[in-house]
Amino acid sequence: MSSPTLKQANAIIEGVLSARRDAKIKPLAVVVLDASGNVVAAQREDNASMFRMDIALGKAWGAAAMGCSSRALGNRAKDNPAFFTTLAATAKGRFLPQTGAVLLLGDDGAILGAVGASGGTGEEDEACCIKGIEVAGMKTQAV
């Protein structure tokens, strides 16, 4: 399994931030992880509010760990809150099943990592992540 390169991760982040500016969303923090949950690249825009980086990381980490978008995780958490509370505790706060992170996929569909953002609504964060991945010429799954 390969991982996103630093160059690819930075291209994704620039695409996410460009989409944010185009949509006039509040400043974001963006995190690109490899499939093992390691940070490849991360940025916090000027004036992004407190906790944005932590929230973006938690969304992306959960997506990478569970192999699906953070939106899907949030939906699953509604049906099984005790399990997801236990997951969050086990992950020492790195697991956040809230809309705003999507998987980063290879050409063969293998999971390369995840991209998470925080600063707008969950839907806005997610849309910016998808756009950033597309702008970088990479793939994600349908949400």
Side-chain angles (χ1 to χ4, degrees), residues 18-125:
S18 178
R20 192 269 321 152
R21 289 187 295 272
D22 291 346
K24 296 179 177 37
I25 298 167
K26 292 179 183 178
L28 298 179
V30 185
V31 176
V32 178
L33 304 179
D34 68 16
S36 296
N38 298 304
V39 175
V40 179
Q43 289 188 29
R44 179 191 161 276
E45 286 187 294
D46 294 343
N47 301 314
S49 62
M50 192 171 161
F51 299 121
R52 292 296 158 216
M53 190 63 77
D54 295 323
I55 293 169
L57 177 61
K59 290 177 181 182
W61 199 87
M66 299 297 285
C68 62
S69 72
S70 61
R71 174 189 293 273
L73 291 175
N75 289 335
R76 289 183 197 170
K78 290 175 190 170
D79 294 331
N80 197 351
F83 175 70
F84 279 84
T85 298
T86 301
L87 276 177
T90 302
K92 298 181 174 113
R94 292 181 293 177
F95 182 87
L96 184 58
Q98 298 295 316
T99 302
V102 295
L103 294 177
L104 180 59
L105 304 176
D107 289 336
D108 61 356
I111 297 171
L112 303 179
V115 180
S118 179
T121 66
E123 289 74 17
E124 291 169 338
D125 296 343

